[in-house]
Amino acid sequence: QHFPLSFWEGLARMALADCVESLSRQRPQLLAVDDIDSSATWEEICLESRRIAPHFLTEEHEPEIVGILASRSVKWLVVTLAVNRVGRPFVWMGGGELPHNKRQLEVLRNFEILKLLRPGLIVQQDDVSSDLVPRDPDHPDHAPRIVLFSELTVT
């Protein structure tokens, strides 16, 4: 489908969740994401992200950062939008997409994210290798909570 330049310029000034909402209203049945395991339209992405967004609501004055530890997929986009929808800051972490001989780079990047940004919550794709889940041996008392995608019932 062709979208005019004015459409894209308007999206550039919107939050991510608002952009997807706009796409959902204009082209609800247009394929948004197609990964190895599943696919979803813009409408499906919006509905699912709205459904799980309450999991990320917080009453804290300073909302904690949410780490999203997953490979790029339909579920990854749904979780990203849900977190964005409630205004929580987030960071994407390496979920095992690099070739095996580069795995150590993802491990190091995830550790540095943990050390520098201190996410209070990590939402983890169920099948992410345990070596990619960052742990800080110097601060074991500051370990983030881990919530698996399946606990959110992301479809």
Side-chain angles (χ1 to χ4, degrees):
Q1 301 259 355
H2 175 72
F3 292 95
L5 181 60
S6 60
F7 173 80
W8 296 111
E9 289 170 344
L11 288 183
R13 291 184 287 276
M14 301 168 80
L16 181 60
D18 295 333
C19 290
V20 174
E21 285 289 339
S22 179
L23 286 166
S24 175
R25 282 189 303 276
Q26 294 185 29
R27 303 282 196 273
Q29 298 308 310
L30 185 66
L31 183 64
V33 182
D34 188 16
D35 65 37
I36 294 172
D37 299 322
S38 59
S39 61
T41 64
W42 289 114
E43 182 177 52
E44 291 166 334
I45 294 286
C46 280
L47 289 172
E48 185 65 5
S49 69
R50 273 190 232 123
R51 191 183 66 70
I52 68 166
H55 288 282
F56 302 108
L57 290 172
T58 180
E59 294 180 16
E60 298 174 26
H61 180 65
E62 291 286 325
E64 65 189 356
I65 295 172
V66 175
I68 301 173
L69 182 59
S71 57
R72 303 329 177 235
S73 64
V74 171
K75 294 176 183 181
W76 169 85
L77 181 57
V78 167
V79 169
T80 298
L81 290 172
V83 172
N84 180 254
R85 187 177 293 284
V86 298
R88 298 278 299 272
F90 67 89
V91 60
W92 291 315
M93 303 175 84
E97 293 177 307
L98 293 181
H100 192 70
N101 64 340
K102 304 283 186 186
R103 175 66 55 97
Q104 193 56 36
L105 294 174
E106 276 186 309
V107 170
L108 181 60
R109 179 178 180 269
N110 289 347
F111 175 74
E112 289 300 320
I113 287 171
L114 178 68
K115 213 165 100 174
L116 295 172
L117 299 179
R118 296 256 171 243
L121 171 66
I122 293 178
V123 185
Q124 178 186 332
Q125 184 175 318
D126 293 54
D127 61 352
V128 164
S129 175
S130 62
D131 66 329
L132 292 171
V133 180
R135 291 167 182 78
D136 187 348
D138 296 333
H139 299 94
D141 53 326
H142 290 113
R145 293 182 332 252
I146 306 283
V147 174
L148 298 176
F149 278 14
S150 59
E151 295 172 45
L152 302 172
T153 60
V154 177
T155 55

